[in-house]
Amino acid sequence: GKKLEPKKPYNLVIVESPAKAKTIEKFLGNGYKVAASNGHLIDLPKSKIGVDIENNFEPQYIVIRGRTPLLNDLKKQANAAQTIYLATDPDREGEAISWHANAIDGGKDVRRIEFNEITKSAVTGAIKHPRQIDLNRVNAQQARRVLDRLVGYKLSPLLWQKVRRGLSAGRVQSVTVRLLVDREND
């Protein structure tokens, strides 16, 4: 019979973009697999507010519809990996995506890395200098999402009624509407 070779151990790098994944995998070479999350995997539900107002405004996250197969594939790859590097974008959204992706770690060594350009030196430098997930950025993103949801779900139906169907308003537009109303009242 044919002797099966054991799978070589590898490190898994999770990025947001599939295009970036291919490039980064070339930079890192053997011993690394790079997978893409394609943005958020987990978010607030679309069909309801998704924020528990009675329980300290706790967000009620769900796996985004259609993303379960990708999430399961990432979990499978994470289970087979030695170390998981979360290399999502260096902004609040990227930090939140890494925080959610951290749940797939399977008890592995998980490290957050960050780079601002897709070059070999930036990527390999980031691997050498991992950090923890920045919970301040995660909390900032969550606060923004919760505010968008609370304000948007209350204000948008009013806009549909008074202005035009399909308009949406969030934390930024609500201030603008207030300024317009104040100006009109003046």
Side-chain angles (χ1 to χ4, degrees):
K2 197 174 187 181
K3 189 178 174 188
L4 290 174
E5 274 198 42
K7 285 186 179 174
K8 289 193 173 111
Y10 64 88
N11 297 308
L12 178 64
V13 179
I14 298 175
V15 296
E16 288 181 50
S17 153
K20 284 182 190 173
K22 287 180 175 59
T23 306
I24 291 167
E25 200 165 77
K26 286 178 195 161
F27 292 155
L28 294 172
N30 290 341
Y32 287 88
K33 268 189 175 181
V34 184
S37 73
N38 291 301
H40 284 276
L41 296 163
I42 294 168
D43 199 4
L44 299 174
K46 279 190 190 273
S47 58
K48 58 182 183 175
I49 284 188
V51 178
D52 188 349
I53 297 166
E54 304 297 318
N55 187 18
N56 205 21
F57 298 94
E58 190 67 35
Q60 298 165 331
Y61 292 112
I62 60 163
V63 176
I64 296 170
R65 183 177 292 166
R67 307 310 295 280
T68 302
L70 176 58
L71 187 60
N72 290 339
D73 182 52
L74 288 172
K75 279 182 183 178
K76 201 166 122 184
Q77 291 184 60
N79 284 334
Q82 285 183 305
T83 302
I84 301 164
Y85 291 94
L86 301 170
T88 51
D89 292 354
D91 57 15
R92 285 184 313 231
E93 294 297 322
E95 206 71 19
I97 293 167
S98 278
W99 184 63
H100 288 305
N102 199 14
I104 67 168
D105 68 9
K108 302 286 175 157
D109 181 14
V110 178
R111 301 169 184 184
R112 173 75 166 108
I113 60 170
E114 188 177 295
F115 40 84
N116 292 303
E117 57 184 36
I118 311 296
T119 62
K120 187 168 184 166
S121 61
V123 172
T124 55
I127 292 276
K128 290 176 189 162
H129 300 98
R131 63 171 175 79
Q132 297 294 311
I133 288 176
D134 183 347
L135 289 177
N136 287 331
R137 284 191 206 172
V138 172
N139 290 334
Q141 188 273 349
Q142 282 191 108
R144 187 190 63 76
R145 277 303 273 138
V146 166
L147 266 174
D148 273 347
R149 189 54 66 98
L150 292 176
V151 173
Y153 266 60
K154 303 283 186 208
L155 187 58
S156 295
L158 181 69
L159 284 176
W160 300 341
Q161 216 175 26
K162 304 290 182 191
V163 184
R164 184 170 45 90
R165 189 108 186 103
L167 293 175
S168 67
R171 68 197 188 300
V172 175
Q173 294 88 345
S174 61
V175 175
T176 307
V177 169
R178 176 65 191 256
L179 289 169
L180 290 170
V181 168
D182 286 351
R183 184 65 57 220
E184 182 67 28
N185 287 339
D186 285 349

